[in-house]
Amino acid sequence: QVQLVESGGGLVQPGGSLRLSCAVSRRRLSINDMGWYRQAPGKQREFVARITNGGSTYYDVSVKGRFTISRDNTKNTVYLQMNSLKPEDTAVYYCNFIPNLNFWGQGTQVTVSS
Protein backbone atom coordinates (compact mmCIF):
# COMPACT_ATOMS: atom_id res chain seq x y z
CA GLN A 1 0.00 0.00 0.00
CA VAL A 2 1.14 3.54 -0.75
CA GLN A 3 2.52 5.41 2.26
CA LEU A 4 2.74 9.13 2.88
CA VAL A 5 5.00 10.18 5.76
CA GLU A 6 5.17 13.85 6.67
CA SER A 7 7.87 15.28 8.90
CA GLY A 8 9.66 18.49 9.82
CA GLY A 9 7.02 20.27 11.85
CA GLY A 10 7.58 21.93 15.19
CA LEU A 11 7.21 25.03 17.29
CA VAL A 12 8.53 28.23 15.74
CA GLN A 13 8.23 31.92 16.55
CA PRO A 14 6.40 34.29 14.20
CA GLY A 15 8.66 35.23 11.33
CA GLY A 16 10.53 31.95 11.56
CA SER A 17 10.98 29.17 9.01
CA LEU A 18 10.40 25.45 8.74
CA ARG A 19 10.94 22.89 5.99
CA LEU A 20 8.46 20.05 5.77
CA SER A 21 9.13 16.77 4.00
CA CYS A 22 6.76 14.19 2.59
CA ALA A 23 8.29 10.82 1.84
CA VAL A 24 6.27 8.67 -0.53
CA SER A 25 6.68 4.93 -0.79
CA ARG A 26 5.26 2.24 -3.07
CA ARG A 27 4.22 4.73 -5.76
CA ARG A 28 6.43 6.60 -8.18
CA LEU A 29 6.35 10.31 -7.47
CA SER A 30 7.67 11.60 -10.78
CA ILE A 31 4.54 11.04 -12.85
CA ASN A 32 2.11 12.61 -10.38
CA ASP A 33 1.05 16.02 -9.20
CA MET A 34 1.47 16.47 -5.46
CA GLY A 35 -0.04 18.84 -2.95
CA TRP A 36 0.35 20.12 0.58
CA TYR A 37 -2.71 20.72 2.72
CA ARG A 38 -3.31 21.85 6.29
CA GLN A 39 -5.98 21.55 8.94
CA ALA A 40 -6.23 24.00 11.81
CA PRO A 41 -8.16 23.13 14.99
CA GLY A 42 -11.89 23.29 14.40
CA LYS A 43 -11.48 23.90 10.66
CA GLN A 44 -11.65 21.81 7.53
CA ARG A 45 -8.54 20.67 5.71
CA GLU A 46 -7.51 23.25 3.12
CA PHE A 47 -5.24 23.41 0.11
CA VAL A 48 -1.84 25.05 0.54
CA ALA A 49 0.32 24.32 -2.49
CA ARG A 50 0.61 22.11 -5.56
CA ILE A 51 3.45 20.99 -7.78
CA THR A 52 2.76 19.33 -11.11
CA ASN A 53 4.72 16.45 -12.58
CA GLY A 54 6.29 19.04 -14.86
CA GLY A 55 7.38 21.23 -11.97
CA SER A 56 4.80 24.03 -12.19
CA THR A 57 3.71 25.36 -8.82
CA TYR A 58 0.50 26.85 -7.46
CA TYR A 59 -0.25 28.35 -4.06
CA ASP A 60 -3.15 29.46 -1.97
CA VAL A 61 -3.20 33.23 -1.76
CA SER A 62 -2.60 33.06 2.00
CA VAL A 63 0.87 31.53 1.56
CA LYS A 64 1.98 32.83 -1.82
CA GLY A 65 5.34 34.55 -1.57
CA ARG A 66 6.14 32.88 1.76
CA PHE A 67 5.95 29.14 1.02
CA THR A 68 7.75 27.16 -1.68
CA ILE A 69 6.83 23.64 -2.77
CA SER A 70 9.45 21.48 -4.43
CA ARG A 71 10.12 17.85 -5.23
CA ASP A 72 13.04 15.46 -5.50
CA ASN A 73 11.92 12.58 -7.68
CA THR A 74 15.14 10.67 -7.00
CA LYS A 75 14.21 10.59 -3.31
CA ASN A 76 10.48 10.26 -3.93
CA THR A 77 10.00 13.22 -1.61
CA VAL A 78 8.08 16.48 -1.72
CA TYR A 79 9.06 19.51 0.36
CA LEU A 80 7.39 22.63 1.66
CA GLN A 81 9.71 25.47 2.63
CA MET A 82 7.80 27.84 4.89
CA ASN A 83 9.20 31.30 5.59
CA SER A 84 7.83 34.34 7.42
CA LEU A 85 5.52 32.10 9.39
CA LYS A 86 2.48 33.61 11.04
CA PRO A 87 0.33 32.36 13.95
CA GLU A 88 -2.47 31.66 11.47
CA ASP A 89 -0.21 29.09 9.77
CA THR A 90 -0.59 26.89 12.85
CA ALA A 91 -2.08 23.58 11.71
CA VAL A 92 -1.37 19.95 11.00
CA TYR A 93 0.18 19.75 7.53
CA TYR A 94 -0.45 16.86 5.16
CA CYS A 95 0.71 15.88 1.69
CA ASN A 96 -1.19 13.88 -0.87
CA PHE A 97 -1.32 13.07 -4.53
CA ILE A 98 -3.55 15.14 -6.81
CA PRO A 99 -6.14 13.77 -7.32
CA ASN A 100 -6.04 12.80 -3.65
CA LEU A 101 -5.75 9.23 -2.49
CA ASN A 102 -8.65 8.06 -0.32
CA PHE A 103 -6.48 8.22 2.78
CA TRP A 104 -4.08 10.62 4.47
CA GLY A 105 -0.84 10.27 6.37
CA GLN A 106 -0.45 11.21 10.01
CA GLY A 107 0.54 14.77 9.18
CA THR A 108 3.07 16.96 10.93
CA GLN A 109 2.16 19.64 13.47
CA VAL A 110 3.29 23.21 12.86
CA THR A 111 2.80 25.67 15.70
CA VAL A 112 3.66 29.33 15.25
CA SER A 113 3.69 31.12 18.55
CA SER A 114 5.80 33.46 20.61
Side-chain angles (χ1 to χ4, degrees), residues 20 22 33-38 45-52 55-71 78-82 93-98 100 104:
L20 307 184
C22 169
D33 290 12
M34 294 293 296
W36 280 98
Y37 303 79
R38 65 187 180 187
R45 187 177 288 133
E46 63 179 13
F47 167 80
V48 174
R50 173 178 184 163
I51 185 165
T52 69
S56 297
T57 57
Y58 304 89
Y59 300 92
D60 183 80
V61 63
S62 64
V63 307
K64 194 170 185 179
R66 300 188 297 122
F67 291 10
T68 302
I69 188 171
S70 62
R71 63 197 296 162
V78 180
Y79 303 98
L80 186 67
Q81 177 67 44
M82 306 187 297
Y93 284 71
Y94 302 88
C95 66
N96 209 319
F97 290 84
I98 296 175
N100 296 155
W104 296 81

mmCIF file of all heavy atoms in Angstrom, residues 20 22 33-38 45-52 55-71 78-82 93-98 100 104:
data_model
loop_
_atom_site.group_PDB
_atom_site.id
_atom_site.type_symbol
_atom_site.label_atom_id
_atom_site.label_comp_id
_atom_site.label_asym_id
_atom_site.label_seq_id
_atom_site.Cartn_x
_atom_site.Cartn_y
_atom_site.Cartn_z
ATOM 1 N N LEU A 20 9.165 21.322 5.634
ATOM 2 C CA LEU A 20 8.463 20.055 5.773
ATOM 3 C C LEU A 20 8.866 19.101 4.664
ATOM 4 O O LEU A 20 9.164 19.528 3.544
ATOM 5 C CB LEU A 20 6.948 20.275 5.726
ATOM 6 C CG LEU A 20 6.368 21.310 6.687
ATOM 7 C CD1 LEU A 20 4.844 21.327 6.576
ATOM 8 C CD2 LEU A 20 6.801 21.041 8.112
ATOM 9 N N CYS A 22 7.766 15.226 2.782
ATOM 10 C CA CYS A 22 6.759 14.191 2.594
ATOM 11 C C CYS A 22 7.412 13.058 1.805
ATOM 12 O O CYS A 22 7.677 13.210 0.607
ATOM 13 C CB CYS A 22 5.560 14.733 1.845
ATOM 14 S SG CYS A 22 4.392 13.467 1.292
ATOM 15 N N ASP A 33 1.115 14.742 -9.898
ATOM 16 C CA ASP A 33 1.046 16.019 -9.205
ATOM 17 C C ASP A 33 0.927 15.735 -7.712
ATOM 18 O O ASP A 33 0.304 14.757 -7.304
ATOM 19 C CB ASP A 33 -0.177 16.818 -9.654
ATOM 20 C CG ASP A 33 -0.069 17.322 -11.078
ATOM 21 O OD1 ASP A 33 0.849 16.877 -11.809
ATOM 22 O OD2 ASP A 33 -0.916 18.155 -11.466
ATOM 23 N N MET A 34 1.522 16.612 -6.907
ATOM 24 C CA MET A 34 1.471 16.466 -5.462
ATOM 25 C C MET A 34 1.033 17.772 -4.819
ATOM 26 O O MET A 34 1.279 18.856 -5.345
ATOM 27 C CB MET A 34 2.845 16.085 -4.907
ATOM 28 C CG MET A 34 3.332 14.717 -5.326
ATOM 29 S SD MET A 34 2.342 13.379 -4.639
ATOM 30 C CE MET A 34 2.634 13.581 -2.874
ATOM 31 N N GLY A 35 0.415 17.637 -3.641
ATOM 32 C CA GLY A 35 -0.042 18.835 -2.946
ATOM 33 C C GLY A 35 0.236 18.781 -1.459
ATOM 34 O O GLY A 35 0.398 17.709 -0.880
ATOM 35 N N TRP A 36 0.315 19.965 -0.862
ATOM 36 C CA TRP A 36 0.346 20.120 0.582
ATOM 37 C C TRP A 36 -0.976 20.738 1.015
ATOM 38 O O TRP A 36 -1.510 21.630 0.347
ATOM 39 C CB TRP A 36 1.497 21.021 1.019
ATOM 40 C CG TRP A 36 2.819 20.340 1.064
ATOM 41 C CD1 TRP A 36 3.790 20.360 0.101
ATOM 42 C CD2 TRP A 36 3.337 19.536 2.128
ATOM 43 N NE1 TRP A 36 4.863 19.611 0.505
ATOM 44 C CE2 TRP A 36 4.608 19.096 1.751
ATOM 45 C CE3 TRP A 36 2.841 19.134 3.375
ATOM 46 C CZ2 TRP A 36 5.404 18.288 2.564
ATOM 47 C CZ3 TRP A 36 3.621 18.329 4.189
ATOM 48 C CH2 TRP A 36 4.890 17.910 3.783
ATOM 49 N N TYR A 37 -1.460 20.260 2.151
ATOM 50 C CA TYR A 37 -2.713 20.718 2.723
ATOM 51 C C TYR A 37 -2.495 20.957 4.218
ATOM 52 O O TYR A 37 -1.515 20.491 4.791
ATOM 53 C CB TYR A 37 -3.803 19.667 2.536
ATOM 54 C CG TYR A 37 -4.030 19.286 1.094
ATOM 55 C CD1 TYR A 37 -3.176 18.399 0.445
ATOM 56 C CD2 TYR A 37 -5.087 19.823 0.362
ATOM 57 C CE1 TYR A 37 -3.351 18.060 -0.883
ATOM 58 C CE2 TYR A 37 -5.286 19.489 -0.965
ATOM 59 C CZ TYR A 37 -4.412 18.602 -1.573
ATOM 60 O OH TYR A 37 -4.604 18.273 -2.895
ATOM 61 N N ARG A 38 -3.424 21.663 4.847
ATOM 62 C CA ARG A 38 -3.315 21.854 6.289
ATOM 63 C C ARG A 38 -4.695 21.895 6.917
ATOM 64 O O ARG A 38 -5.677 22.229 6.260
ATOM 65 C CB ARG A 38 -2.549 23.130 6.622
ATOM 66 C CG ARG A 38 -3.227 24.411 6.182
ATOM 67 C CD ARG A 38 -2.295 25.599 6.419
ATOM 68 N NE ARG A 38 -2.902 26.862 6.011
ATOM 69 C CZ ARG A 38 -2.258 28.022 5.980
ATOM 70 N NH1 ARG A 38 -0.955 28.086 6.333
ATOM 71 N NH2 ARG A 38 -2.880 29.120 5.610
ATOM 72 N N ARG A 45 -9.825 20.722 6.402
ATOM 73 C CA ARG A 45 -8.543 20.667 5.710
ATOM 74 C C ARG A 45 -8.601 21.568 4.484
ATOM 75 O O ARG A 45 -9.616 21.599 3.765
ATOM 76 C CB ARG A 45 -8.241 19.233 5.306
ATOM 77 C CG ARG A 45 -6.862 19.014 4.727
ATOM 78 C CD ARG A 45 -6.645 17.543 4.432
ATOM 79 N NE ARG A 45 -6.476 16.767 5.653
ATOM 80 C CZ ARG A 45 -7.120 15.623 5.888
ATOM 81 N NH1 ARG A 45 -7.981 15.155 5.016
ATOM 82 N NH2 ARG A 45 -6.889 14.962 7.014
ATOM 83 N N GLU A 46 -7.528 22.312 4.249
ATOM 84 C CA GLU A 46 -7.508 23.248 3.125
ATOM 85 C C GLU A 46 -6.247 23.074 2.300
ATOM 86 O O GLU A 46 -5.199 22.645 2.787
ATOM 87 C CB GLU A 46 -7.601 24.686 3.632
ATOM 88 C CG GLU A 46 -6.442 25.143 4.498
ATOM 89 C CD GLU A 46 -6.568 26.587 4.954
ATOM 90 O OE1 GLU A 46 -7.642 27.185 4.820
ATOM 91 O OE2 GLU A 46 -5.554 27.117 5.449
ATOM 92 N N PHE A 47 -6.353 23.474 1.053
ATOM 93 C CA PHE A 47 -5.236 23.408 0.109
ATOM 94 C C PHE A 47 -4.207 24.471 0.452
ATOM 95 O O PHE A 47 -4.558 25.607 0.786
ATOM 96 C CB PHE A 47 -5.769 23.615 -1.305
ATOM 97 C CG PHE A 47 -4.713 23.877 -2.330
ATOM 98 C CD1 PHE A 47 -3.982 22.840 -2.874
ATOM 99 C CD2 PHE A 47 -4.440 25.167 -2.746
ATOM 100 C CE1 PHE A 47 -3.000 23.075 -3.829
ATOM 101 C CE2 PHE A 47 -3.470 25.427 -3.697
ATOM 102 C CZ PHE A 47 -2.751 24.374 -4.243
ATOM 103 N N VAL A 48 -2.929 24.106 0.317
ATOM 104 C CA VAL A 48 -1.842 25.052 0.545
ATOM 105 C C VAL A 48 -1.033 25.280 -0.722
ATOM 106 O O VAL A 48 -0.847 26.419 -1.147
ATOM 107 C CB VAL A 48 -0.909 24.559 1.675
ATOM 108 C CG1 VAL A 48 0.305 25.479 1.813
ATOM 109 C CG2 VAL A 48 -1.664 24.458 2.986
ATOM 110 N N ALA A 49 -0.569 24.184 -1.330
ATOM 111 C CA ALA A 49 0.315 24.320 -2.492
ATOM 112 C C ALA A 49 0.259 23.059 -3.330
ATOM 113 O O ALA A 49 -0.066 21.977 -2.834
ATOM 114 C CB ALA A 49 1.746 24.579 -2.042
ATOM 115 N N ARG A 50 0.636 23.225 -4.610
ATOM 116 C CA ARG A 50 0.615 22.112 -5.564
ATOM 117 C C ARG A 50 1.837 22.211 -6.453
ATOM 118 O O ARG A 50 2.242 23.312 -6.843
ATOM 119 C CB ARG A 50 -0.642 22.175 -6.414
ATOM 120 C CG ARG A 50 -0.712 21.165 -7.559
ATOM 121 C CD ARG A 50 -2.015 21.294 -8.298
ATOM 122 N NE ARG A 50 -2.158 20.279 -9.346
ATOM 123 C CZ ARG A 50 -3.323 19.972 -9.911
ATOM 124 N NH1 ARG A 50 -4.432 20.580 -9.546
ATOM 125 N NH2 ARG A 50 -3.371 19.050 -10.852
ATOM 126 N N ILE A 51 2.390 21.048 -6.795
ATOM 127 C CA ILE A 51 3.455 20.989 -7.781
ATOM 128 C C ILE A 51 3.080 19.919 -8.788
ATOM 129 O O ILE A 51 2.743 18.790 -8.430
ATOM 130 C CB ILE A 51 4.835 20.737 -7.139
ATOM 131 C CG1 ILE A 51 5.935 20.810 -8.193
ATOM 132 C CG2 ILE A 51 4.878 19.419 -6.363
ATOM 133 C CD1 ILE A 51 7.341 20.940 -7.605
ATOM 134 N N THR A 52 3.131 20.277 -10.068
ATOM 135 C CA THR A 52 2.763 19.325 -11.107
ATOM 136 C C THR A 52 3.928 18.395 -11.422
ATOM 137 O O THR A 52 5.074 18.624 -10.996
ATOM 138 C CB THR A 52 2.348 20.060 -12.384
ATOM 139 O OG1 THR A 52 3.503 20.676 -12.964
ATOM 140 C CG2 THR A 52 1.288 21.107 -12.100
ATOM 141 N N GLY A 55 6.676 20.266 -12.803
ATOM 142 C CA GLY A 55 7.379 21.231 -11.967
ATOM 143 C C GLY A 55 6.696 22.580 -11.801
ATOM 144 O O GLY A 55 7.208 23.456 -11.095
ATOM 145 N N SER A 56 5.538 22.777 -12.411
ATOM 146 C CA SER A 56 4.803 24.026 -12.191
ATOM 147 C C SER A 56 4.235 24.038 -10.775
ATOM 148 O O SER A 56 3.865 23.001 -10.243
ATOM 149 C CB SER A 56 3.663 24.163 -13.205
ATOM 150 O OG SER A 56 4.173 24.238 -14.518
ATOM 151 N N THR A 57 4.165 25.233 -10.203
ATOM 152 C CA THR A 57 3.707 25.359 -8.817
ATOM 153 C C THR A 57 2.533 26.315 -8.703
ATOM 154 O O THR A 57 2.420 27.284 -9.468
ATOM 155 C CB THR A 57 4.847 25.836 -7.910
ATOM 156 O OG1 THR A 57 5.356 27.076 -8.393
ATOM 157 C CG2 THR A 57 5.966 24.810 -7.866
ATOM 158 N N TYR A 58 1.681 26.032 -7.729
ATOM 159 C CA TYR A 58 0.498 26.847 -7.464
ATOM 160 C C TYR A 58 0.346 26.949 -5.955
ATOM 161 O O TYR A 58 0.630 25.996 -5.228
ATOM 162 C CB TYR A 58 -0.743 26.198 -8.088
ATOM 163 C CG TYR A 58 -0.610 25.959 -9.564
ATOM 164 C CD1 TYR A 58 -0.079 24.765 -10.052
ATOM 165 C CD2 TYR A 58 -0.978 26.938 -10.482
ATOM 166 C CE1 TYR A 58 0.076 24.543 -11.407
ATOM 167 C CE2 TYR A 58 -0.825 26.725 -11.844
ATOM 168 C CZ TYR A 58 -0.292 25.523 -12.294
ATOM 169 O OH TYR A 58 -0.147 25.319 -13.638
ATOM 170 N N TYR A 59 -0.143 28.106 -5.490
ATOM 171 C CA TYR A 59 -0.247 28.353 -4.060
ATOM 172 C C TYR A 59 -1.575 28.997 -3.703
ATOM 173 O O TYR A 59 -2.138 29.770 -4.489
ATOM 174 C CB TYR A 59 0.880 29.282 -3.597
ATOM 175 C CG TYR A 59 2.258 28.733 -3.851
ATOM 176 C CD1 TYR A 59 2.943 29.019 -5.032
ATOM 177 C CD2 TYR A 59 2.865 27.907 -2.916
ATOM 178 C CE1 TYR A 59 4.197 28.490 -5.269
ATOM 179 C CE2 TYR A 59 4.135 27.378 -3.145
ATOM 180 C CZ TYR A 59 4.781 27.680 -4.322
ATOM 181 O OH TYR A 59 6.034 27.159 -4.559
ATOM 182 N N ASP A 60 -2.040 28.695 -2.499
ATOM 183 C CA ASP A 60 -3.147 29.462 -1.966
ATOM 184 C C ASP A 60 -2.661 30.879 -1.732
ATOM 185 O O ASP A 60 -1.492 31.105 -1.390
ATOM 186 C CB ASP A 60 -3.630 28.833 -0.661
ATOM 187 C CG ASP A 60 -4.834 29.556 -0.105
ATOM 188 O OD1 ASP A 60 -5.946 29.294 -0.592
ATOM 189 O OD2 ASP A 60 -4.658 30.405 0.800
ATOM 190 N N VAL A 61 -3.577 31.829 -1.876
ATOM 191 C CA VAL A 61 -3.203 33.226 -1.756
ATOM 192 C C VAL A 61 -2.632 33.535 -0.372
ATOM 193 O O VAL A 61 -1.795 34.433 -0.221
ATOM 194 C CB VAL A 61 -4.404 34.135 -2.082
ATOM 195 C CG1 VAL A 61 -5.539 33.917 -1.097
ATOM 196 C CG2 VAL A 61 -3.998 35.583 -2.141
ATOM 197 N N SER A 62 -3.036 32.780 0.636
ATOM 198 C CA SER A 62 -2.596 33.064 2.003
ATOM 199 C C SER A 62 -1.122 32.740 2.235
ATOM 200 O O SER A 62 -0.527 33.229 3.202
ATOM 201 C CB SER A 62 -3.447 32.277 3.001
ATOM 202 O OG SER A 62 -3.263 30.887 2.837
ATOM 203 N N VAL A 63 -0.526 31.930 1.368
ATOM 204 C CA VAL A 63 0.868 31.530 1.565
ATOM 205 C C VAL A 63 1.764 31.963 0.410
ATOM 206 O O VAL A 63 2.991 31.805 0.496
ATOM 207 C CB VAL A 63 0.999 30.006 1.776
ATOM 208 C CG1 VAL A 63 0.076 29.544 2.900
ATOM 209 C CG2 VAL A 63 0.717 29.240 0.495
ATOM 210 N N LYS A 64 1.192 32.475 -0.646
ATOM 211 C CA LYS A 64 1.981 32.834 -1.820
ATOM 212 C C LYS A 64 3.019 33.883 -1.451
ATOM 213 O O LYS A 64 2.715 34.859 -0.762
ATOM 214 C CB LYS A 64 1.063 33.355 -2.931
ATOM 215 C CG LYS A 64 1.737 33.424 -4.283
ATOM 216 C CD LYS A 64 0.715 33.705 -5.378
ATOM 217 C CE LYS A 64 1.369 33.653 -6.746
ATOM 218 N NZ LYS A 64 0.414 33.891 -7.842
ATOM 219 N N GLY A 65 4.244 33.637 -1.888
ATOM 220 C CA GLY A 65 5.337 34.546 -1.565
ATOM 221 C C GLY A 65 6.081 34.187 -0.293
ATOM 222 O O GLY A 65 7.169 34.700 -0.036
ATOM 223 N N ARG A 66 5.486 33.304 0.511
ATOM 224 C CA ARG A 66 6.135 32.881 1.763
ATOM 225 C C ARG A 66 6.514 31.397 1.736
ATOM 226 O O ARG A 66 7.510 31.011 2.344
ATOM 227 C CB ARG A 66 5.193 33.123 2.948
ATOM 228 C CG ARG A 66 4.798 34.583 3.128
ATOM 229 C CD ARG A 66 4.029 34.789 4.425
ATOM 230 N NE ARG A 66 2.763 34.063 4.444
ATOM 231 C CZ ARG A 66 2.446 33.148 5.368
ATOM 232 N NH1 ARG A 66 3.297 32.849 6.336
ATOM 233 N NH2 ARG A 66 1.266 32.534 5.329
ATOM 234 N N PHE A 67 5.712 30.587 1.072
ATOM 235 C CA PHE A 67 5.951 29.137 1.022
ATOM 236 C C PHE A 67 6.439 28.746 -0.367
ATOM 237 O O PHE A 67 6.039 29.343 -1.373
ATOM 238 C CB PHE A 67 4.669 28.369 1.310
ATOM 239 C CG PHE A 67 4.169 28.459 2.728
ATOM 240 C CD1 PHE A 67 4.710 29.341 3.649
ATOM 241 C CD2 PHE A 67 3.137 27.632 3.156
ATOM 242 C CE1 PHE A 67 4.241 29.421 4.952
ATOM 243 C CE2 PHE A 67 2.652 27.677 4.456
ATOM 244 C CZ PHE A 67 3.203 28.580 5.346
ATOM 245 N N THR A 68 7.259 27.693 -0.414
ATOM 246 C CA THR A 68 7.747 27.157 -1.683
ATOM 247 C C THR A 68 7.639 25.636 -1.659
ATOM 248 O O THR A 68 8.201 24.992 -0.766
ATOM 249 C CB THR A 68 9.201 27.554 -1.934
ATOM 250 O OG1 THR A 68 9.318 28.987 -1.917
ATOM 251 C CG2 THR A 68 9.676 27.038 -3.284
ATOM 252 N N ILE A 69 6.937 25.093 -2.632
ATOM 253 C CA ILE A 69 6.828 23.641 -2.769
ATOM 254 C C ILE A 69 7.868 23.178 -3.786
ATOM 255 O O ILE A 69 8.123 23.850 -4.794
ATOM 256 C CB ILE A 69 5.397 23.226 -3.190
ATOM 257 C CG1 ILE A 69 5.236 21.707 -3.151
ATOM 258 C CG2 ILE A 69 5.022 23.796 -4.546
ATOM 259 C CD1 ILE A 69 3.791 21.233 -3.344
ATOM 260 N N SER A 70 8.465 22.034 -3.504
ATOM 261 C CA SER A 70 9.451 21.478 -4.426
ATOM 262 C C SER A 70 9.402 19.958 -4.322
ATOM 263 O O SER A 70 8.742 19.398 -3.433
ATOM 264 C CB SER A 70 10.851 22.005 -4.117
ATOM 265 O OG SER A 70 11.265 21.621 -2.813
ATOM 266 N N ARG A 71 10.116 19.314 -5.234
ATOM 267 C CA ARG A 71 10.117 17.855 -5.231
ATOM 268 C C ARG A 71 11.481 17.338 -5.616
ATOM 269 O O ARG A 71 12.201 17.979 -6.378
ATOM 270 C CB ARG A 71 9.049 17.318 -6.183
ATOM 271 C CG ARG A 71 9.263 17.681 -7.640
ATOM 272 C CD ARG A 71 7.993 17.501 -8.455
ATOM 273 N NE ARG A 71 7.579 16.112 -8.479
ATOM 274 C CZ ARG A 71 6.346 15.735 -8.818
ATOM 275 N NH1 ARG A 71 5.434 16.621 -9.140
ATOM 276 N NH2 ARG A 71 6.037 14.451 -8.828
ATOM 277 N N VAL A 78 8.565 15.130 -1.448
ATOM 278 C CA VAL A 78 8.079 16.485 -1.724
ATOM 279 C C VAL A 78 8.370 17.341 -0.494
ATOM 280 O O VAL A 78 8.256 16.864 0.644
ATOM 281 C CB VAL A 78 6.569 16.479 -2.013
ATOM 282 C CG1 VAL A 78 6.065 17.880 -2.308
ATOM 283 C CG2 VAL A 78 6.264 15.555 -3.169
ATOM 284 N N TYR A 79 8.697 18.598 -0.727
ATOM 285 C CA TYR A 79 9.060 19.509 0.358
ATOM 286 C C TYR A 79 8.149 20.721 0.369
ATOM 287 O O TYR A 79 7.574 21.106 -0.655
ATOM 288 C CB TYR A 79 10.511 19.969 0.190
ATOM 289 C CG TYR A 79 11.503 18.846 0.127
ATOM 290 C CD1 TYR A 79 11.969 18.377 -1.106
ATOM 291 C CD2 TYR A 79 11.977 18.245 1.285
ATOM 292 C CE1 TYR A 79 12.883 17.345 -1.169
ATOM 293 C CE2 TYR A 79 12.893 17.209 1.229
ATOM 294 C CZ TYR A 79 13.335 16.766 -0.003
ATOM 295 O OH TYR A 79 14.240 15.733 -0.064
ATOM 296 N N LEU A 80 8.061 21.342 1.534
ATOM 297 C CA LEU A 80 7.388 22.635 1.657
ATOM 298 C C LEU A 80 8.266 23.524 2.532
ATOM 299 O O LEU A 80 8.369 23.306 3.740
ATOM 300 C CB LEU A 80 5.995 22.488 2.269
ATOM 301 C CG LEU A 80 5.165 23.768 2.291
ATOM 302 C CD1 LEU A 80 4.804 24.204 0.859
ATOM 303 C CD2 LEU A 80 3.897 23.611 3.132
ATOM 304 N N GLN A 81 8.912 24.486 1.900
ATOM 305 C CA GLN A 81 9.706 25.475 2.626
ATOM 306 C C GLN A 81 8.768 26.592 3.057
ATOM 307 O O GLN A 81 8.116 27.211 2.204
ATOM 308 C CB GLN A 81 10.829 26.019 1.750
ATOM 309 C CG GLN A 81 11.650 27.104 2.412
ATOM 310 C CD GLN A 81 12.464 26.592 3.580
ATOM 311 O OE1 GLN A 81 13.079 25.538 3.494
ATOM 312 N NE2 GLN A 81 12.484 27.344 4.680
ATOM 313 N N MET A 82 8.712 26.840 4.347
ATOM 314 C CA MET A 82 7.799 27.845 4.885
ATOM 315 C C MET A 82 8.605 28.938 5.561
ATOM 316 O O MET A 82 9.321 28.668 6.533
ATOM 317 C CB MET A 82 6.837 27.192 5.883
ATOM 318 C CG MET A 82 6.074 25.998 5.319
ATOM 319 S SD MET A 82 4.804 25.377 6.417
ATOM 320 C CE MET A 82 5.804 24.862 7.799
ATOM 321 N N TYR A 93 -0.080 19.702 8.967
ATOM 322 C CA TYR A 93 0.182 19.751 7.530
ATOM 323 C C TYR A 93 0.267 18.334 6.966
ATOM 324 O O TYR A 93 0.915 17.452 7.556
ATOM 325 C CB TYR A 93 1.479 20.518 7.253
ATOM 326 C CG TYR A 93 1.302 22.008 7.384
ATOM 327 C CD1 TYR A 93 1.118 22.599 8.632
ATOM 328 C CD2 TYR A 93 1.305 22.835 6.265
ATOM 329 C CE1 TYR A 93 0.930 23.966 8.759
ATOM 330 C CE2 TYR A 93 1.127 24.207 6.377
ATOM 331 C CZ TYR A 93 0.936 24.766 7.628
ATOM 332 O OH TYR A 93 0.751 26.123 7.745
ATOM 333 N N TYR A 94 -0.382 18.152 5.824
ATOM 334 C CA TYR A 94 -0.450 16.859 5.158
ATOM 335 C C TYR A 94 -0.018 16.999 3.699
ATOM 336 O O TYR A 94 -0.211 18.045 3.081
ATOM 337 C CB TYR A 94 -1.878 16.323 5.152
ATOM 338 C CG TYR A 94 -2.525 16.156 6.500
ATOM 339 C CD1 TYR A 94 -3.212 17.205 7.100
ATOM 340 C CD2 TYR A 94 -2.484 14.938 7.175
ATOM 341 C CE1 TYR A 94 -3.819 17.059 8.337
ATOM 342 C CE2 TYR A 94 -3.097 14.776 8.405
ATOM 343 C CZ TYR A 94 -3.755 15.835 8.975
ATOM 344 O OH TYR A 94 -4.371 15.689 10.192
ATOM 345 N N CYS A 95 0.483 15.919 3.129
ATOM 346 C CA CYS A 95 0.715 15.881 1.690
ATOM 347 C C CYS A 95 -0.195 14.799 1.108
ATOM 348 O O CYS A 95 -0.669 13.907 1.802
ATOM 349 C CB CYS A 95 2.172 15.570 1.369
ATOM 350 S SG CYS A 95 2.706 13.940 1.859
ATOM 351 N N ASN A 96 -0.425 14.908 -0.184
ATOM 352 C CA ASN A 96 -1.191 13.877 -0.875
ATOM 353 C C ASN A 96 -0.976 14.035 -2.369
ATOM 354 O O ASN A 96 -0.533 15.090 -2.845
ATOM 355 C CB ASN A 96 -2.687 13.973 -0.546
ATOM 356 C CG ASN A 96 -3.380 12.613 -0.614
ATOM 357 O OD1 ASN A 96 -3.105 11.823 -1.513
ATOM 358 N ND2 ASN A 96 -4.258 12.348 0.333
ATOM 359 N N PHE A 97 -1.310 13.003 -3.081
ATOM 360 C CA PHE A 97 -1.324 13.069 -4.529
ATOM 361 C C PHE A 97 -2.507 13.942 -4.956
ATOM 362 O O PHE A 97 -3.451 14.162 -4.202
ATOM 363 C CB PHE A 97 -1.471 11.673 -5.124
ATOM 364 C CG PHE A 97 -0.267 10.814 -4.957
ATOM 365 C CD1 PHE A 97 -0.057 10.094 -3.787
ATOM 366 C CD2 PHE A 97 0.686 10.715 -5.956
ATOM 367 C CE1 PHE A 97 1.059 9.299 -3.618
ATOM 368 C CE2 PHE A 97 1.810 9.934 -5.810
ATOM 369 C CZ PHE A 97 1.994 9.227 -4.634
ATOM 370 N N ILE A 98 -2.423 14.425 -6.209
ATOM 371 C CA ILE A 98 -3.548 15.136 -6.808
ATOM 372 C C ILE A 98 -3.858 14.453 -8.122
ATOM 373 O O ILE A 98 -3.003 14.429 -9.008
ATOM 374 C CB ILE A 98 -3.208 16.625 -7.049
ATOM 375 C CG1 ILE A 98 -2.955 17.329 -5.688
ATOM 376 C CG2 ILE A 98 -4.349 17.308 -7.780
ATOM 377 C CD1 ILE A 98 -2.502 18.767 -5.827
ATOM 378 N N ASN A 100 -6.407 13.382 -4.934
ATOM 379 C CA ASN A 100 -6.043 12.795 -3.652
ATOM 380 C C ASN A 100 -6.314 11.298 -3.606
ATOM 381 O O ASN A 100 -7.289 10.801 -4.175
ATOM 382 C CB ASN A 100 -6.852 13.440 -2.520
ATOM 383 C CG ASN A 100 -6.540 14.910 -2.346
ATOM 384 O OD1 ASN A 100 -7.380 15.661 -1.839
ATOM 385 N ND2 ASN A 100 -5.355 15.361 -2.741
ATOM 386 N N TRP A 104 -5.069 9.600 4.169
ATOM 387 C CA TRP A 104 -4.078 10.624 4.466
ATOM 388 C C TRP A 104 -3.039 10.064 5.434
ATOM 389 O O TRP A 104 -3.317 9.138 6.188
ATOM 390 C CB TRP A 104 -4.749 11.846 5.093
ATOM 391 C CG TRP A 104 -5.704 12.510 4.154
ATOM 392 C CD1 TRP A 104 -6.983 12.122 3.888
ATOM 393 C CD2 TRP A 104 -5.447 13.649 3.332
ATOM 394 N NE1 TRP A 104 -7.538 12.958 2.943
ATOM 395 C CE2 TRP A 104 -6.626 13.905 2.583
ATOM 396 C CE3 TRP A 104 -4.351 14.493 3.147
ATOM 397 C CZ2 TRP A 104 -6.726 14.960 1.681
ATOM 398 C CZ3 TRP A 104 -4.444 15.535 2.246
ATOM 399 C CH2 TRP A 104 -5.617 15.765 1.521
#
